[in-house]
Amino acid sequence: MREPVELRRQRILAVVQSRGTVKVSALADELEVSVVTVRRDVEELTLAGKLRRGHGVARPVDDIGELRAVPAARPGEPAGASAGEPTADGGAVVLVVPERHSYLYETLHGARSVLEESGMRIALHIAPQSAGAEHPLVERALASGARGLLIAPRWRSAVSEEADYGWLADVQVPTVLMERRPRPGSALHALDSVCSDHWYGVHLAVDHLVALGHRRIVLAARDDSPTARTVRAAFAEIAAARPEVEDWTVVLSTPNAVPEPGRAAGRTTVTTPAGTVAAPLDLAALLRERGATGAVLHGDVDALMLVQRLAESGVRVPQDCSVVAYDDVVAALGSTPLTAVSPPKAEIGRAAAELLLHRLSRPAGDSGPVRRTELLPTLKVRGSARTPAH
């Protein structure tokens, strides 16, 4: 899917703000677009006073103004009438989401719709992929007078998650975590949060396959986000507890889907009831070795790519292997539309924004009890799973 221009320029701003002077060619490589495209973006951002352009480089400027979502015109107000509003984050609700994350972009748009309807000004910040990138963005927004914070940190590993607990717990404005559930008993346990019940989502996937008659099931999942870690843990728990499941296996959906650097390319660890072993990342071979007839694949892009590789290896979906994807961002767009667990992504954003508005409407010092809200995913049946042939 092509990335919106506004989001791409947000990413450019975020990288330059966090690293200082950056070569245009390096930005192009990181954003996976042409140098010409980045040069054009930098020129537009320079004209808007948001960057300084040098010979082949982009530089930050003092008190840089962020690109932001502009509220829709109110009835009777001409389009663009809000363009004269201040460009600093003062008085705005700040939205922070990671770059290159289509799943959370849906959450972002859900939150934006609620905030716009309320007349609240929005400042959108896209955090680059470097560890701890959200912290300086939030600090600058708070220094500019932001009223509230909606944030979905990347948290590629449990270590990076724990590293953010301290400063996030000290944020002095109403804050709601989106699609994130901090570790119980941690410094963020008493922070408002709205997320999907991914345990239930995995239950839906396994239950669907078991009901169709599958008794040997593989989970190919990522391991580089809180959602991924929850999906992996939930699958192991649920599969081990279902008496109908004779054999289950967990494997990485791609060797790049782990937070730790240096893991051998093309190899991963496989978790089975008997323990954890090293194995090549070859889903077709794994299905044959385990005698598996069903697979749960997280996330959508990895799922579509794995289905293509299965076809190249002579494994047909759903004739030879039934597949349930997890995320439902693009699962329906494959040549074989995939049955998928669909977390309520936009609803998460809307509920988080409504909770933040509730906090902002209360008198100072009267915040009321902390709320940890979970919304249940649904299963979208599209025909990539059926009763096994044998």
Side-chain angles (χ1 to χ4, degrees):
M1 295 189 299
R2 180 175 295 179
E3 183 179 44
V5 173
E6 180 186 359
L7 292 181
R8 186 177 66 243
R9 292 178 180 174
Q10 274 281 9
R11 292 168 59 195
I12 292 173
L13 280 172
V15 171
V16 173
Q17 288 171 0
S18 62
R19 302 179 196 170
T21 300
V22 183
K23 290 184 178 180
V24 169
S25 58
L27 285 169
D29 290 341
E30 183 163 337
L31 273 61
E32 299 180 350
V33 296
S34 69
V35 171
V36 173
T37 297
V38 173
R39 188 179 295 122
R40 186 184 307 119
D41 288 339
V42 170
E43 289 174 354
E44 291 295 326
L45 291 169
T46 300
L47 290 173
K50 303 176 186 299
L51 290 180
R52 287 191 296 131
R53 179 166 58 93
H55 183 65
V57 299
R59 297 188 177 94
V61 296
D62 293 336
D63 300 322
I64 189 166
E66 301 279 354
L67 278 175
R68 56 180 34 77
V70 178
R74 298 180 180 86
E77 180 183 60
S82 59
E85 291 182 353
T87 57
D89 290 340
V93 164
V94 174
L95 277 164
V96 181
V97 294
E99 66 174 339
R100 301 185 187 180
H101 208 307
S102 56
Y103 180 105
L104 288 173
Y105 287 167
E106 291 193 35
T107 302
L108 156 70
H109 290 303
R112 177 178 176 174
S113 65
V114 170
L115 295 172
E116 286 181 340
E117 289 173 5
S118 73
M120 186 68 67
R121 195 156 58 84
I122 305 165
L124 171 62
H125 296 255
I126 306 298
Q129 297 191 45
S130 54
E134 292 87 358
H135 191 184
L137 294 177
V138 172
E139 279 192 334
R140 281 193 289 270
L142 295 178
S144 296
R147 296 182 59 195
L149 173 64
L150 290 173
I151 184 169
R154 185 179 295 276
W155 287 348
R156 282 177 57 84
S157 69
V159 172
S160 65
E161 177 179 336
E162 294 276 351
D164 281 345
Y165 282 1
W167 69 264
L168 262 176
D170 289 336
V171 171
Q172 299 300 308
V173 298
T175 299
V176 180
L177 287 172
M178 299 186 298
E179 201 58 288
R180 297 292 182 257
R181 178 71 79 225
R183 176 178 57 79
S186 68
L188 294 187
H189 189 108
L191 188 69
D192 286 327
S193 60
V194 180
C195 69
S196 301
D197 184 346
H198 293 299
W199 188 97
Y200 182 74
V202 174
H203 162 75
L204 290 176
V206 173
D207 193 63
H208 183 63
L209 291 172
V210 168
L212 290 171
H214 297 276
R215 299 295 179 259
R216 307 176 77 84
I217 304 171
V218 168
L219 169 70
R222 305 184 66 85
D223 193 23
D224 56 357
S225 72
T227 297
R229 293 188 287 275
T230 300
V231 166
R232 294 165 67 87
F235 179 84
E237 177 187 338
I238 292 168
R242 291 292 296 256
E244 305 97 327
V245 177
E246 299 171 1
D247 185 82
W248 58 268
T249 309
V250 178
V251 64
L252 280 175
S253 55
T254 167
N256 299 321
V258 292
E260 300 84 8
R263 187 185 290 265
R267 299 188 67 82
T268 184
T269 56
V270 177
T271 303
T272 72
T276 300
V277 296
L281 185 63
D282 184 341
L283 184 57
L286 182 65
L287 291 172
R288 295 187 178 107
E289 175 189 346
R290 309 298 302 189
T293 59
V296 182
L297 308 179
H298 171 259
D300 278 11
V301 173
D302 292 342
L304 292 174
M305 294 178 67
L306 285 170
V307 168
Q308 292 172 10
R309 291 173 192 161
L310 288 176
E312 293 166 1
S313 300
V315 178
R316 302 166 298 168
V317 174
Q319 294 91 334
D320 303 318
C321 177
S322 291
V323 167
V324 178
Y326 200 104
D327 276 358
D328 199 32
V329 177
V330 293
L333 303 181
S335 55
T336 300
L338 301 182
T339 292
V341 175
S342 183
K345 299 171 282 293
E347 288 78 5
I348 292 291
R350 284 193 281 269
E354 289 168 354
L355 177 52
L356 184 64
L357 291 175
H358 169 74
R359 294 292 183 215
L360 291 171
S361 69
R362 298 179 71 92
D366 180 21
S367 58
V370 172
R371 301 185 183 186
R372 292 164 59 87
T373 304
E374 285 189 333
L375 304 183
L376 299 187
T378 57
L379 184 72
K380 301 292 181 65
V381 177
R382 299 191 178 99
S384 63
R386 72 179 196 183
T387 301
H390 303 289

